[in-house]
């Protein structure tokens, strides 16, 4: 269904363009094509150059570099862990204090 709609739109546009360009003389067609080429080419070059120019501008927010910190959760979990508490009280003789 969508494919049929796209085909109808494509055919309508193609017929319209052929009708418009068919009435023009070959010299005018060449002039029209060259004019469109230069206009769209100029716009393309302008957009590329302006994009490159604005890359280094300070218009945006600068990113701050933060230091990497250890996870507090891991440290607190190790401190509360029951196995750690047993290991701290182990004196190495095979018996716990």
């Amino acid at each position: 269904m969508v494919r049929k709609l796209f085909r109808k739109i494509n055919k309508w546009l193609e017929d319209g363009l052929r009708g418009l360009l068919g009435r023009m003389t070959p010299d005018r067609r060449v002039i029209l094509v060259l004019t469109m080429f230069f206009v769209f080419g100029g716009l393309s070059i302008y957009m590329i150059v302006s994009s490159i120019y604005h890359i280094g501008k300070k218009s945006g927010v600068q990113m701050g570099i933060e230091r990497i910190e250890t996870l507090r959760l891991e440290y607190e979990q190790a401190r509360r862990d029951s196995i750690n508490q047993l290991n701290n009280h182990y004196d190495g003789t095979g018996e716990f204090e």
Side-chain angles (χ1 to χ4, degrees), residues 3-81:
R3 207 176 263 182
K4 288 181 181 180
L5 179 65
F6 282 135
R7 286 184 184 160
K8 284 182 182 179
I9 292 172
N10 188 17
K11 185 160 179 67
W12 178 76
L13 287 174
E14 187 177 337
D15 291 342
L17 284 175
R18 284 185 191 270
L20 286 174
L21 296 177
R23 293 184 225 148
M24 298 177 85
T25 62
D27 292 338
R28 286 191 182 200
R29 271 188 248 159
V30 169
I31 292 171
L32 177 68
V33 168
L34 289 176
T35 304
M36 289 174 60
F37 174 75
F38 284 116
V39 168
F40 290 127
L43 286 173
S44 175
I45 291 172
Y46 169 75
M47 290 176 68
I48 290 171
V49 170
S50 68
S51 297
I52 292 172
Y53 176 74
H54 287 292
I55 285 175
K57 288 289 186 179
K58 294 184 179 181
S59 60
V61 177
Q62 291 183 344
M63 292 178 51
I65 299 174
E66 298 178 8
R67 299 225 179 249
I68 298 175
E69 298 178 8
T70 59
L71 294 175
R72 293 181 182 159
L73 178 64
E74 184 177 321
Y75 175 72
E76 291 173 7
Q77 182 69 26
R79 206 177 57 180
R80 283 187 268 150
D81 195 6

